[in-house]
Amino acid sequence: MKPTTRVSNQKARRVPCRLALWGVFAVWAILVFVPIGYLMSEHYVVLPVAEERIEFAHSIPTEASAWKILHVLGEDCKCSRDVLAYLEERGISSAASEAILLLGGKLETKLSLESRGFIVEISDAEELCVSYGSEGVPYFQISDETNVMRYSGAYSKMGYSTTRGYLDLKNLELAKQGIETPNLPVLGCATSRRLRGALDPLALKYDF
C-alpha cells in the first residue's frame, strides 16, 4: 500500500504545479496580446472620411479640363507617412493636377513636397471633421474635369497599407475610362479628438 500512496502523493503535487504554469501562461498572454490588440484596434475600425469633394482653401492652378487628385494625409500617422514617402519619391503626375491636404504637418514636409511639384496645404484636423465629417487618414479623392468627385477612399484594399502599390493613379486611369471604382474603406489613423478618445481612451497612441 505504501508505493500506491507515494504515487498518489506525487500526482497530487503535480496538479498545483500545472495550475501554476497555466496561470503564468495566462498572465503572459494577457500582458502581450491585450496591449497589441489595443494598439492595433484602429486598423479594424472603418474610419469616416469626406463623402463629398473637399474644397481646397487655395485654388489649384490648373487647366479647366484637368482631372484632380487630392491626397488627405496626417503627418503623425505611420500609414500617411508611408504615402508621403511614396508621393515624394514619384513626384507629381502629368495625368492630373495633384494637391495634398496635410493635417498637422510640418513646414519642412510641405516645402519638400512642393519641391516635387505638389500643391500643399497644412490644415487642422478638427476643421476638416466639422466641415466634412472626416475623421481618418490616409485617403484620396479623384475629381473629373467638371469637379464631380469620382472616388473618395483608401489607397489600397488593405485600407491602410500595401506592398503592391497604391491605387491613386490606377483609379485615376479607370475613372478616365468611365469605369467606376468603389470607395474603399479607410482603416488607418483617427484624426479627430472625438474618435481618438474613443479608440484610445488610455492615450497610449494618440495625443488629444
Side-chain angles (χ1 to χ4, degrees), residues 3-183:
T4 304
T5 303
R6 188 179 300 113
V7 171
S8 299
N9 290 338
Q10 289 175 350
K11 289 182 177 179
R13 286 194 295 268
R14 289 173 185 170
V15 172
C17 291
R18 289 176 180 174
L19 291 175
L21 288 174
W22 277 109
V24 171
F25 175 77
V27 171
W28 173 84
I30 291 172
L31 292 176
V32 172
F33 292 109
V34 170
I36 291 175
Y38 180 86
L39 294 174
M40 289 295 295
S41 61
E42 63 179 339
H43 287 146
Y44 297 95
V45 176
V46 176
L47 303 172
V49 299
E51 296 182 356
E52 58 183 289
R53 191 173 72 90
I54 296 174
E55 296 291 342
F56 212 61
H58 304 290
S59 60
I60 303 174
T62 179
E63 297 179 2
S65 60
W67 286 68
K68 307 170 190 66
I69 302 178
L70 176 63
H71 305 272
V72 185
L73 307 168
E75 196 165 8
D76 63 350
C77 171
K78 170 64 168 58
C79 309
S80 287
R81 291 197 297 272
D82 290 344
V83 177
L84 286 168
Y86 151 74
L87 293 175
E88 192 162 8
E89 180 180 358
R90 76 161 170 81
I92 196 168
S93 170
S94 60
S97 297
E98 289 190 271
I100 299 173
L101 193 60
L102 193 58
L103 305 181
K106 300 175 182 176
L107 179 59
E108 52 264 39
T109 303
K110 179 178 185 292
L111 295 175
S112 179
L113 291 165
E114 286 176 340
S115 70
R116 299 293 289 149
F118 295 98
I119 306 300
V120 184
E121 179 182 310
I122 296 177
S123 185
D124 180 71
E126 292 303 311
E127 291 182 5
L128 194 65
C129 175
V130 171
S131 300
Y132 295 97
S134 179
E135 299 184 75
V137 289
Y139 68 100
F140 70 98
Q141 295 187 333
I142 296 175
S143 301
D144 64 20
E145 64 273 18
T146 61
N147 287 331
V148 173
M149 191 177 73
R150 304 290 292 274
Y151 180 86
S152 182
Y155 284 84
S156 75
K157 293 181 179 179
M158 288 292 293
Y160 59 94
S161 64
T162 180
T163 57
R164 299 182 179 179
Y166 295 107
L167 296 175
D168 50 340
L169 298 183
K170 180 178 180 180
N171 280 10
L172 174 67
E173 182 180 350
L174 292 173
K176 286 186 172 183
Q177 296 173 10
I179 302 174
E180 292 187 8
T181 53
N183 295 333

